[in-house]
Amino acid sequence: MSLLTSLARLRALDEGIAQPIATVRHCHLRDQPMVFIPLKLSGEAAAPLAAMLGTERDRPRLLVVSQPRNRDLRFAWAAELAGVLLPYIARFLADTETVERRGADPYERALDAPQLIVPNAAGVAFTRLLGRSTRFRRADGPYPVPDVVPLLGRWLTYFGERAAYPGSSLMLAATEELGRHWASGQSSLEDANLAALLGWITEGPSDAAEDPLIWPPAGPATDPGFDAEVLAPAIDSGSAERITEALRSQLEPTWRLMWQAIDLLAGLEAGASVAQRWEQDRGSFSGMAQSIAEGAPPQARRDGAIAAAAKLARMERAQAGYEVQRAYDDPLIMAEYRLTGEAFAGEVIETVPDNVEGEGRSRKLRPLVVIKTDDPVRLPPGASLGTPQRRGQGAELVSADEGLVTVKITKGMGRGKTPTPGAVPEVGERVCYTSLTDDFQGSPNLPDAEATPWTHGGPPQHHAAEHTPDDEDAQEEWS
């Protein structure tokens, strides 16, 4: 937790209401996202009990497993879930655009992409587990399932994995996104309770927010008291109507809270980099759709050594880029780096727009900017700098002494003998410079999967597509 976030939590506790820790929204938000609230059977890792989902707040769809321990009923429920999610996903595949790439063939990218929103991080984990439990099933052979179930499993696995990708908005957890934008006066563990967190943000910690037992849990686990006093008798009665109404009572309050959370996030203006990250999401979604259309096998149970190393490198670059973009988009995030000396802000008091270095053909335009700042500057001379006010412009720290900082602009001012208009800050302008840049090292050169050394498992021997369900799978399914 950063210093400013800790301060915001203390202030929230003192004032009795959550404090904003962001000035813009750092995630993409569709007009009609797919809200997905899953419930699972207590004591089971991935035995679905019910789900409420839909894209319209006034028309939730409730799917219930009347006997969660019955394998056939669970897969029938999964098929019903597929009947809602797969058409929603498919409607984004019709309209595409051709994207040209430097040094690579062009590809087709969907103009838009689906978005799933679950209440909390546990909902994301359950979605991944549900995908793993269904993507290897077969519609023929021993223990067949409805033919849409394996496809549903592949998409659930994809969304669950994409949720872990830094900056992705294809699948969001409401509590995590709210926590990125507001700081409450409770612990991070308590912030995982959607009702409690929303209570802090909207009205302060009311009785309903202070005592999570007043509100039904936001899933995927149910309340033990509800299980013993309401759900178990309903299941024992064998009445599907009674079971449905019992589960509806658990899910409808969370449904209302989910849309309240969406409204709060939608009330924030999107950050400047959000659109760029959504383009990457659309590209990833299009790639997954193409992979399925070409008959590729389902995702492997475990990544091989090469695939795992490549994925780790991608996620590390994405995390670094996401942190830089958030800081550039949001002055409150940048303030954290100003405190640590990695950034400074101040007023321009002098400029030398025609400053040059070198002679003859090596003569280069290098404008100088002098800034008066009250921030601590802990960067060495020669440090590379960037600025949120002029993205894409590069600079270099020349000197920093007694609140006066001299910066030399090295790129992004045009190719002429004089800077392009607006490239050099004007006297009196408020500017911010930081050592945070998105110029990261490229991907490492990794060997082909078939060249995996024996110390890392050797070459892949079995493909995920070769998996065939057996008696043991049937007994352990969804567990």
Side-chain angles (χ1 to χ4, degrees):
M1 187 185 301
S2 67
L3 179 60
L4 287 183
T5 301
S6 299
L7 179 61
R9 285 191 176 276
L10 291 173
R11 185 173 180 180
L13 185 62
D14 181 60
E15 298 185 6
I17 193 166
Q19 301 296 307
I21 53 175
T23 61
V24 296
R25 174 166 37 86
H26 295 283
C27 63
H28 178 79
L29 197 61
R30 287 187 47 80
D31 293 336
Q32 289 186 313
M34 174 64 73
V35 175
F36 178 45
I37 311 172
L39 280 183
K40 72 180 184 69
L41 186 65
S42 297
E44 303 285 346
L49 185 61
M52 184 170 280
L53 69 164
T55 59
E56 301 177 39
R57 69 180 70 203
D58 297 328
R59 298 179 60 186
R61 179 83 177 270
L62 177 62
L63 310 179
V64 173
V65 182
S66 58
Q67 180 45 263
R69 292 184 175 86
N70 185 301
R71 176 185 181 277
D72 292 335
L73 292 180
R74 293 201 300 266
F75 279 116
W77 176 89
E80 194 175 2
L81 178 63
V84 180
L85 288 181
L86 293 184
Y88 171 71
I89 293 171
R91 80 187 197 193
F92 295 97
L93 300 175
D95 299 324
T96 63
E97 59 182 354
T98 302
V99 179
E100 301 290 340
R101 295 182 293 180
R102 181 181 300 177
D105 295 333
Y107 75 101
E108 293 297 313
R109 182 174 65 193
L111 293 177
D112 206 349
Q115 183 178 56
L116 269 62
I117 303 183
V118 295
N120 46 40
V124 174
F126 180 78
T127 301
R128 291 187 63 179
L129 205 54
L130 194 59
R132 181 176 179 178
S133 301
T134 53
R135 71 178 185 267
F136 294 113
R137 299 295 93 197
R138 293 180 181 272
D140 53 7
Y143 310 104
V145 299
D147 57 1
V148 293
V149 170
L151 179 58
L152 172 70
R154 297 181 66 174
W155 278 113
L156 291 179
T157 299
Y158 169 75
F159 281 107
E161 291 181 346
R162 192 68 185 175
Y165 192 85
S168 174
S169 296
L170 287 176
M171 187 175 194
L172 302 176
T175 52
E176 289 192 344
E177 292 306 322
L178 291 173
R180 287 191 180 101
H181 296 81
W182 285 273
S184 72
Q186 60 187 2
S187 69
S188 298
L189 181 63
E190 292 170 311
D191 279 348
N193 183 292
L194 183 59
L197 181 55
L198 280 172
W200 275 94
I201 295 173
T202 55
E203 301 175 358
S206 63
D207 291 340
E210 289 178 351
D211 184 2
L213 296 179
I214 295 178
W215 282 84
T222 53
D223 177 67
F226 166 80
D227 292 341
E229 299 172 12
V230 180
L231 182 60
I235 293 177
D236 292 341
S237 71
S239 171
E241 182 178 353
R242 184 176 173 183
I243 296 171
T244 299
E245 289 309 310
L247 294 171
R248 188 187 302 276
S249 70
Q250 291 287 291
L251 289 167
E252 281 188 338
T254 301
W255 178 264
R256 295 192 296 270
L257 292 175
M258 287 290 289
W259 287 101
Q260 184 180 4
I262 291 171
D263 289 341
L264 283 170
L265 291 171
L268 298 174
E269 181 182 357
S273 302
V274 169
Q276 176 187 343
R277 293 196 296 272
W278 185 244
E279 283 187 0
Q280 296 171 356
D281 277 335
R282 292 193 286 119
S284 173
F285 167 71
S286 302
M288 177 63 182
Q290 182 179 1
S291 175
I292 292 176
E294 293 176 350
Q299 299 95 323
R301 292 184 182 275
R302 297 181 182 85
D303 289 325
I306 305 302
K311 180 183 291 186
L312 178 61
R314 289 194 302 270
M315 295 189 71
E316 286 177 341
R317 291 197 307 274
Q319 182 65 49
Y322 180 49
E323 291 174 357
V324 171
Q325 290 172 355
R326 290 181 70 225
Y328 273 52
D329 290 350
D330 196 330
L332 269 181
I333 306 296
M334 184 63 79
E336 302 280 1
Y337 297 97
R338 290 172 60 187
L339 284 175
T340 61
E342 297 173 86
F344 59 90
E347 181 181 341
V348 176
I349 61 172
E350 182 183 352
T351 64
V352 186
D354 57 351
N355 180 66
V356 295
E357 292 182 350
E359 296 182 358
R361 293 186 177 182
S362 62
R363 184 183 179 92
K364 297 178 181 178
L365 181 65
R366 292 292 184 265
L368 297 176
V369 180
V370 181
I371 304 161
K372 181 176 177 56
T373 180
D374 295 326
D375 294 339
V377 181
R378 300 187 176 95
L379 300 172
S384 298
L385 303 174
T387 172
Q389 286 76 33
R390 293 168 176 81
R391 300 194 183 200
Q393 186 177 92
E396 180 182 304
L397 180 64
V398 177
S399 64
D401 184 30
E402 297 183 354
L404 295 180
V405 182
T406 302
V407 170
K408 176 172 62 179
I409 301 176
T410 57
K411 67 177 182 179
M413 81 290 286
R415 295 180 177 273
K417 296 182 178 180
T418 59
T420 58
V424 178
E426 298 181 356
V427 174
E429 182 179 344
R430 182 83 178 172
V431 295
C432 176
Y433 283 90
T434 175
S435 60
L436 300 172
T437 64
D438 56 2
D439 295 332
F440 304 113
Q441 184 176 359
S443 302
N445 294 323
L446 298 172
D448 295 334
E450 296 299 330
T452 306
W454 68 268
T455 53
H456 291 71
Q461 299 295 326
H462 302 286
H463 210 286
E466 299 173 1
H467 173 76
T468 303
D470 54 22
D471 291 340
E472 184 178 353
D473 289 322
Q475 294 171 2
E476 297 181 357
E477 194 65 50
W478 307 84
S479 61

